[in-house]
Amino acid sequence: MAATLRDVAEHAQVSVRTVSNVVSGYAHVSDRMRHRVLTAIEELDYRPNPVARTLRTGRTGVLALVVPEIDLPYFAELAREIINAAAEHGYRVMVDQTGHDHERERELLTGADRTMLFDGVLFSPLVTRAELLEMQPSTTMPLVLLGEHEFDGRYDHVAIDNVQAAADAVAHLLARGRTRVAAIGAQPDESYATPQQRTTGYERALRVAGLAVEPALLRPAAHYRRADGYRATTELLALADPPDAIFCYSDLLAMGAIRAVFDAGLRVPEDVAVIGIDDIEEGRYSRPTLSTVSLDTPYIAREAVARIAARIGEPDTPAVEVTAPHTVRARESTGGAR
Amino acid sequence: MAATLRDVAEHAQVSVRTVSNVVSGYAHVSDRMRHRVLTAIEELDYRPNPVARTLRTGRTGVLALVVPEIDLPYFAELAREIINAAAEHGYRVMVDQTGHDHERERELLTGADRTMLFDGVLFSPLVTRAELLEMQPSTTMPLVLLGEHEFDGRYDHVAIDNVQAAADAVAHLLARGRTRVAAIGAQPDESYATPQQRTTGYERALRVAGLAVEPALLRPAAHYRRADGYRATTELLALADPPDAIFCYSDLLAMGAIRAVFDAGLRVPEDVAVIGIDDIEEGRYSRPTLSTVSLDTPYIAREAVARIAARIGEPDTPAVEVTAPHTVRARESTGGAR
DNA sequence: TTGTAAGCGTTATCAG
DNA sequence: CTGATAACGCTTACAA
């Protein structure tokens, strides 16, 4: 059986208090005592039981990361950075997937499921604004929203300027001389924040350029996977007057779009230019390489972990919003360099 | 403050024992009692504290999944399946990344770090055989090895037949008429099991076909990322007598390889055929689509979780080895159909 | 500086 | 079938 604090105390002929002190690195302990305890720990191969510690202190040292699906490259890359950043703050990370399931999302969000298991939650979901508004702000669990919601002052928030990012992407297409720019990624359900913001940016960029917004060029995508981009693009190309450029609301949609263009016997970027958003590694090796709006995932991850750590330490502090920078990366899919 | 079992007991005018019984769904409780308790729970919005439960029972309901890096698509896809499979068994999943760090890997492996935090560990690392052999089998933590180690009867093991998978890939290339088949992914450090097994399969397939094994065509790759495949391929193409086909030890290496071929002014598959291993989704949309050896990740995930659940329930049972099936998928990168 | 003891919220043993 | 009550292993007043 594993040795306990008590065993160590007995073995070292000291009180549990003293052992606890040296283990926690805390209070003042005389060198003699410390040495005695340390050798006892060594001899018994003692390891503190984190569960007991948690029950006592209320801290688990665990963060929950909630994402739609961990195998979406953007979220995988985000998870990687977050796990590393969390480790630097002494936290481990549990990954939960909502799988686009609203019920599951609400469950995770309202905390019905995570009592006492986590010190905080990093939430990067697809929640609708309605759901977010309905939420009980009474929730005692520190929560940081990741990505792309509207900041309403109730929750910490690490985001990008979605409207601007989308507008920048479209402006890039326009600057390359394209005139019929389609968009893929609008949600059938208008209540999601992210797609709506991106649509707003898309429409704004067109208007600024004096171009009309054609409803037929704005395509929905249920999820943000390659297959959805492929399907939507195929539909776009079948139009009587097809687009000469496509702005996809995610890089993964764009990868599907590119493949669809070639399968239709056309070329990227010559016939159709394609730009995405996220800057996943895949797009730096694909043929053509993918132009995109880069999101600085490491920054988002570091900032998110720093925020949640701060909030855990100081729960009663006003919510802050951090806006991560974004940059347009011109690559081959819009006629740029590799 | 959150209500406790005691609060519920008081409120319902029963003993904590009874409350615990109805909460755990256990023993026999009279309908009257059950009803009284249930309404009290409702009224107080009581939720059991999993930490306290864990301290008492020794079960955490948490599995650790240890992978090199979660953003490697194969591991991201594996993680997705494992998290879902674990949920069906009532487990949550904590993700740890070794980041190719041997020290970290050993730490996680010997359990120095995970005392009492997990009920079991799913380990899909890059450990060397030496490390594995050195391990204390005394470890009390249920452990299932994933992927590609040698089965030595001490640990449960869900694997594929690596030698055969590699041989099948190379045979596929040979059947397409290629005669100079290179391989990318051998490890500089010969002690890793996976690369070595794949190299064995590669050499065996060549010999069976009566071809010589040329050391110059066997390239190392430190990690299994796109950049490594790109670099190795560039070197191969600079050879006086370059290969007409490349077998990559991972799909990600293959994506880098394909890009390198085109950047060298050559074509896939016309000049150089490329095949990978893993069957990640990316390869089903890339240009050309990637021929690969499919690994049936959902099967591996289900089996792994089933094994660990079984071992947690019944620790003193002989270790078993499960071999997951694999299939060659011929796509465009070796001249196959889309 | 160190020792004693009271919980943290459960489950499980033992009576009744 | 239900009620007290003792752990589970740790942290931390409170004393000494």
Side-chain angles (χ1 to χ4, degrees):
Chain A
M1 276 295 78
T4 79
L5 209 53
R6 213 191 216 83
D7 300 333
V8 177
E10 256 172 48
H11 194 83
Q13 306 269 43
V14 301
S15 80
V16 290
R17 171 67 210 254
T18 305
V19 179
S20 178
N21 278 344
V22 352
V23 169
S24 313
Y26 228 59
H28 314 267
V29 184
S30 72
D31 285 353
R32 245 189 63 246
M33 284 287 167
R34 158 163 288 117
H35 183 73
R36 239 160 67 194
V37 170
L38 252 25
T39 55
I41 287 178
E42 185 84 9
E43 286 174 23
L44 297 182
D45 190 29
Y46 166 77
R47 315 270 174 67
N49 179 332
V51 175
R53 180 175 283 170
T54 292
L55 182 58
R56 190 55 236 238
T57 63
R59 295 240 177 144
T60 63
V62 177
L63 301 177
L65 171 63
V66 183
V67 296
E69 289 167 316
I70 190 65
D71 68 325
L72 295 171
Y74 175 70
F75 291 109
E77 293 179 12
L78 182 66
R80 171 200 159 124
E81 301 294 340
I82 283 182
I83 292 171
N84 290 337
E88 280 174 24
H89 285 254
Y91 287 102
R92 317 190 75 146
V93 177
M94 198 110 100
V95 176
D96 270 308
Q97 306 184 98
T98 63
H100 305 277
D101 177 342
H102 272 224
E103 202 33 66
R104 177 99 183 105
E105 202 162 74
R106 140 167 284 117
E107 233 177 79
L108 289 164
L109 202 49
T110 56
D113 204 22
R114 53 185 153 75
T115 340
M116 296 282 88
L117 258 180
F118 311 119
D119 291 340
V121 179
L122 302 168
F123 210 94
S124 185
L126 301 166
V127 248
T128 63
R129 302 142 95 189
E131 281 172 337
L132 217 47
L133 287 173
E134 276 176 35
M135 271 179 59
Q136 310 275 12
S138 64
T139 307
T140 176
M141 174 80 50
L143 176 68
V144 170
L145 257 22
L146 285 183
E148 313 100 347
H149 303 279
E150 276 152 356
F151 184 61
D152 71 351
R154 290 185 306 164
Y155 307 104
D156 289 316
H157 190 196
V158 179
I160 62 161
D161 184 342
N162 254 303
V163 177
Q164 191 58 49
D168 289 351
V170 174
H172 171 75
L173 259 10
L174 266 19
R176 297 274 168 173
R178 307 293 164 148
T179 55
R180 287 187 60 71
V181 179
I184 299 177
Q187 289 288 345
D189 181 340
E190 273 301 301
S191 54
Y192 287 100
T194 306
Q196 197 153 70
Q197 291 169 346
R198 294 190 180 173
T199 298
T200 301
Y202 162 74
E203 295 178 344
R204 195 169 82 189
L206 289 184
R207 290 221 180 77
V208 165
L211 292 170
V213 174
E214 282 186 46
L217 294 184
L218 185 57
R219 314 300 291 200
H223 295 175
Y224 276 13
R225 291 192 159 263
R226 297 174 186 86
D228 304 296
Y230 188 94
R231 195 179 310 115
T233 300
T234 304
E235 291 166 9
L236 281 170
L237 297 178
L239 252 34
D241 195 0
D244 60 7
I246 304 178
F247 163 47
C248 295
Y249 291 8
S250 86
D251 278 359
L252 221 48
L253 285 171
M255 300 317 305
I258 289 177
R259 181 72 212 195
V261 170
F262 282 95
D263 282 359
L266 300 171
R267 289 161 308 161
V268 176
E270 292 82 350
D271 301 306
V272 184
V274 174
I275 191 168
I277 192 164
D278 284 344
D279 194 14
I280 61 177
E281 188 179 296
E282 178 176 349
R284 304 204 272 276
Y285 285 83
S286 59
R287 296 185 51 237
T289 52
L290 180 65
S291 295
T292 189
V293 181
S294 184
L295 257 34
D296 201 348
T297 310
Y299 176 91
I300 294 174
R302 275 198 313 276
E303 205 56 42
V305 173
R307 298 291 358 129
I308 197 82
R311 181 149 301 283
I312 290 168
E314 203 63 72
D316 299 316
T317 231
V320 304
E321 174 168 45
V322 177
T323 302
H326 66 262
T327 334
V328 172
R329 301 238 184 273
R331 301 208 185 97
E332 295 168 347
S333 70
T334 57
R338 184 181 191 295
Chain B
M1 276 294 79
T4 80
L5 209 54
R6 213 191 217 80
D7 300 333
V8 177
E10 254 172 50
H11 193 84
Q13 306 271 40
V14 299
S15 81
V16 290
R17 169 70 212 253
T18 304
V19 179
S20 178
N21 278 344
V22 353
V23 169
S24 313
Y26 227 59
H28 314 267
V29 184
S30 72
D31 286 352
R32 244 188 63 248
M33 283 288 168
R34 156 163 290 118
H35 183 73
R36 240 163 63 196
V37 170
L38 252 25
T39 55
I41 286 178
E42 186 83 11
E43 284 173 25
L44 299 181
D45 190 29
Y46 164 77
R47 314 269 176 68
N49 179 333
V51 176
R53 181 175 284 170
T54 292
L55 180 59
R56 190 53 238 233
T57 61
R59 295 242 176 142
T60 64
V62 177
L63 301 177
L65 171 63
V66 182
V67 296
E69 289 166 316
I70 190 66
D71 68 326
L72 294 172
Y74 175 69
F75 291 109
E77 292 179 11
L78 182 66
R80 172 199 159 125
E81 301 294 339
I82 283 181
I83 292 172
N84 290 339
E88 279 175 25
H89 285 254
Y91 287 102
R92 317 188 76 146
V93 177
M94 197 110 99
V95 176
D96 271 308
Q97 305 184 98
T98 63
H100 305 277
D101 177 343
H102 272 224
E103 202 32 65
R104 176 100 184 103
E105 201 161 73
R106 142 167 284 115
E107 234 177 78
L108 289 164
L109 202 49
T110 57
D113 204 24
R114 55 186 151 75
T115 339
M116 295 283 89
L117 256 180
F118 311 119
D119 290 340
V121 179
L122 302 169
F123 210 94
S124 185
L126 302 166
V127 249
T128 63
R129 302 141 96 188
E131 282 173 335
L132 218 48
L133 287 172
E134 275 175 34
M135 271 179 60
Q136 310 276 14
S138 64
T139 306
T140 175
M141 176 79 52
L143 176 67
V144 170
L145 257 22
L146 285 183
E148 311 97 350
H149 303 278
E150 275 151 358
F151 185 61
D152 71 351
R154 290 185 305 163
Y155 307 105
D156 290 316
H157 191 194
V158 179
I160 62 160
D161 184 341
N162 254 303
V163 177
Q164 191 58 48
D168 289 350
V170 175
H172 171 73
L173 260 10
L174 266 18
R176 298 271 169 175
R178 309 292 162 147
T179 55
R180 288 187 59 71
V181 179
I184 298 177
Q187 289 287 345
D189 181 341
E190 273 301 302
S191 54
Y192 288 100
T194 306
Q196 197 153 72
Q197 291 170 345
R198 294 189 181 173
T199 299
T200 301
Y202 162 74
E203 294 177 345
R204 193 169 81 189
L206 289 183
R207 290 221 181 76
V208 165
L211 293 169
V213 174
E214 282 186 45
L217 294 184
L218 185 57
R219 314 300 291 200
H223 296 174
Y224 276 13
R225 291 192 160 264
R226 297 173 186 86
D228 303 298
Y230 189 93
R231 193 178 312 114
T233 300
T234 304
E235 291 167 10
L236 280 170
L237 297 178
L239 252 34
D241 195 0
D244 60 6
I246 305 178
F247 163 48
C248 295
Y249 291 8
S250 86
D251 277 0
L252 221 48
L253 284 172
M255 300 317 306
I258 289 176
R259 181 72 213 195
V261 170
F262 283 95
D263 282 358
L266 299 172
R267 289 162 308 161
V268 176
E270 293 82 350
D271 301 306
V272 183
V274 174
I275 190 168
I277 193 164
D278 284 344
D279 195 13
I280 61 178
E281 189 180 296
E282 178 176 349
R284 304 204 272 276
Y285 286 83
S286 59
R287 295 184 52 237
T289 52
L290 180 66
S291 295
T292 189
V293 182
S294 184
L295 256 37
D296 201 346
T297 310
Y299 176 91
I300 293 174
R302 276 198 312 275
E303 206 56 41
V305 172
R307 295 296 353 133
I308 198 79
R311 180 148 301 282
I312 290 167
E314 203 64 73
D316 300 316
T317 231
V320 305
E321 173 167 44
V322 177
T323 302
H326 65 263
T327 333
V328 172
R329 301 238 183 272
R331 302 210 184 97
E332 295 168 347
S333 70
T334 57
R338 184 182 193 296

